[in-house]
């Protein structure tokens, strides 16, 4: 989905003072082998949070060697019962593979059709670009997946935090009307997902 390459690589200078679409290239003389290797996905993510899930990002911000290459990966660790909550990626299609455990994996189309399946180790899934999706650990123990994207920075719109945790907050009358509930329900959600 990202633009095509104009050179072999362009290791991102993610702290550069100029801003462009992507990141400017680090000078070739400063590029080292370490720019093309990343061990950030080798460690288990922290699942001690309200969702019981730890997402570790291997995108251009954590792994600048990906700059202009049009791909990235995540590692997602799940405690028993853990949920990677409904979200979408505005800039990428996602594929994933289950390494350990048993997960309910699904997405919803723009026509509100829900496609889902329970997957185990070695099985893959795909999420078309921009569609809302989730994974839930439905096994007895921990679960682990790796996901891959056709963007160096797919972005993630997490529905709960986008709607109820925005800064500044979305006005309550918008949310009560949108969800057809009383204000106390909205305030409860804002308390759970607020900044
Ligand atoms: C899983 O959905 C992920 O975005 O890594
Ligand atoms: Mn995703």
């Amino acid at each position: 989905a990202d633009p095509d390459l104009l050179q072999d690589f362009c290791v991102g200078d993610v702290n550069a003072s100029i801003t462009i679409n992507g990141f400017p290239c680090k000078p070739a003389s400063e590029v080292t082998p370490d720019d093309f290797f990343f061990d950030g996905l080798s460690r288990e993510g922290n699942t001690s949070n309200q969702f019981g899930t730890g997402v570790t990002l291997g995108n251009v911000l954590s792994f600048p060697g990906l700059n202009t290459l049009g791909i990235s990966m995540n590692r997602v660790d799940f405690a028993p019962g853990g949920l990677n909550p409904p979200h979408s990626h505005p800039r990428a299609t996602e594929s994933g593979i289950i390494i350990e455990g048993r997960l309910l994996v699904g997405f919803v189309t723009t026509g509100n059709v829900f496609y889902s399946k329970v997957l185990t180790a070695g099985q893959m899934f795909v999420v078309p670009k921009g569609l809302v999706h989730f994974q839930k650990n439905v096994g007895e123990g921990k679960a682990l997946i790796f996901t891959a994207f056709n963007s160096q920075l797919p972005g993630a719109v997490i529905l709960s935090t986008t709607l109820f945790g925005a800064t500044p907050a979305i006005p309550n009358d918008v949310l009560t009307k949108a969800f057809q509930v009383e204000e106390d329900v909205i305030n409860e959600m804002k308390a759970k997902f607020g900044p």
Side-chain angles (χ1 to χ4, degrees), residues 91-114:
R91 291 182 290 274
T93 287
E94 170 176 334
S95 64
I97 184 162
I98 286 62
I99 304 299
E100 179 193 350
R102 199 165 171 269
L103 295 125
L104 173 67
V105 175
F107 68 86
V108 181
T109 68
T110 58
N112 299 330
V113 179
F114 174 44

Side-chain angles (χ1 to χ4, degrees), residues 48-121:
S48 303
N49 52 58
Q50 64 193 150
F51 297 120
T53 296
V55 181
T56 308
L57 305 170
N59 62 30
V60 70
L61 298 176
S62 52
F63 184 8
L66 293 177
N67 192 44
T68 74
L69 302 184
I71 57 168
S72 58
M73 293 185 78
N74 287 344
R75 167 186 181 132
V76 191
D77 289 275
F78 300 81
L83 171 71
N84 187 12
H87 65 278
S88 69
H89 304 287
R91 291 182 290 274
T93 287
E94 170 176 334
S95 64
I97 184 162
I98 286 62
I99 304 299
E100 179 193 350
R102 199 165 171 269
L103 295 125
L104 173 67
V105 175
F107 68 86
V108 181
T109 68
T110 58
N112 299 330
V113 179
F114 174 44
Y115 292 95
S116 71
K117 189 168 179 169
V118 173
L119 300 182
T120 55

Side-chain angles (χ1 to χ4, degrees), residues 5-6 30 55 58 70 75 98 104 120-121 137 145 148-149 167 176 188:
L5 304 186
L6 300 176
E30 291 173 22
V55 181
R75 167 186 181 132
I98 286 62
L104 173 67
T120 55
N137 183 359
I145 68 175
F149 304 88
T167 306
T176 53
E188 188 180 342

Side-chain angles (χ1 to χ4, degrees), residues 15-27:
N15 299 312
S17 52
I18 64 158
T19 51
I20 58 166
N21 186 26
F23 296 98
C25 311
K26 193 166 143 172

